[in-house]
Amino acid sequence: MFVARSIAADHKDLIHDVSYDFHGRRMATCSSDQSVKVWDKSENGEWHCTASWKTHSGSVWRVTWAHPEFGQVLASCSFDRTAAVWEEIVGESNDKQRGQSHWIKRTTLVDSRTSVTDVKFAPKHMGLMLTTCSADGVVRIYEAPDVMNLSQWSLQHEISCKLSCSCISWNPSSSRAHSPMIAVGSDDSNVAYGGKVQIYEYNENTRKYAKAETLMTVTEPVHDIAFAPNLGRSFHVLAVATKDVRIFKLIPLRRETSSSTGPTKFEVQIVAQFENHNSQVWRVSWNITSTLLASSGDDGCVRLWKANYMDNWKCTGILKGDGSPVNGSSNQQGILNSAAGSAGQASQNSLNGSSAGRYFFPPLDLPWAGSRWSCYAQLLPPPSLIEQTCDADSATLLLPHPRRRYTARPLNPLPENEGV
């Protein structure tokens, strides 16, 4: 069960980003008060601020952690047109903070001429690499040649997106079959210009990043974007936060010839689209197994999305930031429609959907026609059996066992003159 906890962050202005480290035991926050705070989780589950310092001369938009293999390293980006890399070190014997850890700035990246809107470390298998995007429509990729010396970073690539960039996401796949890939989102307000999400892929032959795909159906400003952890899949899954939540599937197409040197072509499928926030969606985030997607919007809710065995995405939970309960009978627009209003519908929801405190769990649908699971729908019990309500006084459950198709009968005893 989820428990909402409030943390007195003590930021003096709006908090723009919250980032967990690899193990989920540390947290970093950044704000328009130009500061970054680091929080550590104690054994009893409480969060305590262990460091706070001014990082930039403007609003800090994003903060992110490097993989712990490279140490305790943070990166931040700001409206002041810079990105910065920070490292936590333990004070030496000649320091005033002897034996205590503190954060020091290792480098400042000043290549951008406009606000730096996002910063992300590359997947661990690519080494210590850092990517930034800015409002001038340029994505920059830096590399630390020596991971022991974080004061030296070299600019490896500059990608011109021709649109104001708002967010970036690395494809985390470590498979040799997948080249390094970056998704870039734009918050350009001109809805007439489609393709607010662009996919760039690294080409081993040219040693440059080239545009592989543009999601032309995304025409509204994009606030966040996130590749799902791959876990050996042959395709990629991408979540986009815009005026709604969208989940795309990118299926690589086989190259016609092995000598083809162009970027990979993809078949783009939109597998889910949710308008339940009824407002702008600002963040999307996957769990480590890519089975659960969380989104947050201007409605003040965090919504959890999950796909069932039919690859049908549904909302599995709604968490309100202020801890107030979510009314399970409230109408959910879009793909999710909770039955409400009549007593008959309410009794049906008692089995197909449930609400508990702050969390509403909507019902799951049967397989849709044409899906690969629709051929198995005939094996399911008829709806008349499934949609029965269970009385509290009933001594036995009226539903058949999901794996038992026939009623078990006792065996007849063998005659005495037969058998072994």
Side-chain angles (χ1 to χ4, degrees):
M1 180 179 177
F2 296 98
V3 178
R5 292 187 179 182
S6 297
I7 300 175
D10 200 31
H11 278 288
K12 305 303 181 185
D13 209 329
L14 188 67
I15 298 175
H16 293 289
D17 197 19
V18 177
S19 177
Y20 288 95
D21 74 341
F22 178 80
H23 301 289
R25 303 288 303 181
R26 309 194 80 184
M27 181 174 65
T29 59
C30 63
S31 166
S32 282
D33 63 7
Q34 306 176 3
S35 71
V36 165
K37 294 180 184 288
V38 174
W39 307 77
D40 288 351
K41 190 175 183 180
S42 62
E43 294 297 330
N44 61 1
E46 298 294 332
W47 291 91
H48 301 280
C49 182
T50 56
S52 177
W53 69 99
K54 181 180 177 180
T55 55
H56 294 273
S57 58
S59 297
V60 186
W61 302 130
R62 299 268 189 157
V63 62
T64 185
W65 293 85
H67 192 277
E69 178 181 298
F70 306 110
Q72 296 298 305
V73 180
L74 281 172
S76 58
C77 64
S78 170
F79 180 75
D80 66 3
R81 302 178 294 179
T82 68
V85 178
W86 311 85
E87 184 179 18
E88 185 182 38
I89 63 172
V90 178
E92 300 176 354
S93 57
N94 57 349
D95 289 339
K96 295 181 180 180
Q97 297 177 324
R98 179 179 178 180
Q100 297 181 2
S101 63
H102 59 283
W103 293 83
I104 62 173
K105 181 188 289 188
R106 289 303 190 188
T107 192
T108 301
L109 307 174
V110 295
D111 297 282
S112 176
R113 297 182 178 180
T114 56
S115 172
V116 182
T117 53
D118 199 1
V119 59
K120 289 289 191 304
F121 284 101
K124 178 189 64 129
H125 65 271
M126 295 179 59
L128 189 54
M129 301 181 70
L130 186 67
T131 309
T132 66
C133 70
S134 51
D136 59 6
V138 178
V139 175
R140 297 175 174 87
I141 302 176
Y142 301 86
E143 183 179 13
D146 182 7
V147 297
M148 302 302 294
N149 182 12
L150 299 185
S151 61
Q152 295 183 359
W153 292 78
S154 60
L155 179 60
Q156 297 292 316
H157 304 279
E158 278 191 341
I159 307 171
S160 178
C161 301
K162 300 180 180 179
L163 277 178
S164 174
C165 300
S166 59
C167 51
I168 49 180
S169 176
W170 281 94
N171 180 12
S173 174
S174 58
S175 171
R176 293 182 179 180
H178 300 150
S179 300
M181 195 160 54
I182 306 174
V184 185
S186 171
D187 60 355
D188 192 295
S189 58
N190 185 5
V191 296
Y193 189 93
K196 297 295 173 61
V197 175
Q198 302 176 29
I199 311 295
Y200 292 88
E201 185 183 55
Y202 182 72
N203 189 307
E204 293 287 351
N205 297 317
T206 62
R207 295 187 177 181
K208 293 182 179 180
Y209 281 84
K211 185 187 295 186
E213 193 63 56
T214 301
L215 305 186
M216 299 302 297
T217 58
V218 182
T219 58
E220 298 287 339
V222 174
H223 307 299
D224 197 18
I225 193 169
F227 270 111
N230 186 271
L231 299 178
R233 287 191 301 259
S234 61
F235 57 88
H236 313 291
V237 179
L238 183 68
V240 178
T242 173
K243 66 174 184 179
D244 48 27
V245 179
R246 302 184 193 183
I247 303 175
F248 292 88
K249 182 184 291 186
L250 306 176
I251 305 174
L253 300 177
R254 292 186 177 182
R255 299 179 185 270
E256 296 181 359
T257 61
S258 58
S259 60
S260 177
T261 59
T264 304
K265 297 300 181 182
F266 295 94
E267 176 189 347
V268 180
Q269 299 178 359
I270 180 167
V271 296
Q273 182 173 353
F274 305 104
E275 299 180 353
N276 303 66
H277 282 286
N278 294 319
S279 61
Q280 294 294 317
V281 182
W282 291 100
R283 288 291 186 270
V284 284
S285 179
W286 295 94
N287 67 341
I288 195 170
T289 58
S290 71
T291 56
L292 195 67
L293 176 68
S295 63
S296 62
D298 274 339
D299 60 346
C301 292
V302 173
R303 298 174 186 266
L304 305 179
W305 314 94
K306 186 177 178 66
N308 59 13
Y309 67 96
M310 298 176 292
D311 201 27
N312 188 11
W313 286 86
K314 290 294 181 182
C315 179
T316 60
I318 305 175
L319 297 83
K320 295 206 69 173
D322 58 4
S324 60
V326 175
N327 186 3
S329 62
S330 61
N331 183 36
Q332 299 294 320
Q333 297 182 359
I335 295 179
L336 303 180
N337 294 297
S338 62
S342 66
Q345 290 172 321
S347 64
Q348 180 176 337
N349 283 350
S350 65
L351 182 62
N352 289 345
S354 62
S355 60
R358 292 187 294 271
Y359 320 107
F360 169 61
F361 302 93
L364 294 179
D365 289 342
L366 292 176
W368 62 87
S371 73
R372 63 191 180 111
W373 295 104
S374 60
C375 58
Y376 297 105
Q378 57 184 341
L379 300 180
L380 298 174
S384 58
L385 292 180
I386 295 178
E387 297 179 358
Q388 296 182 34
T389 57
C390 300
D391 296 329
D393 299 333
S394 299
T396 59
L397 185 64
L398 298 179
L399 300 181
H401 193 282
R403 296 185 182 273
R404 185 183 301 154
R405 196 172 180 185
Y406 302 101
T407 305
R409 294 185 176 90
L411 296 176
N412 294 325
L414 291 174
E416 294 182 357
N417 58 350
E418 296 184 16
V420 180

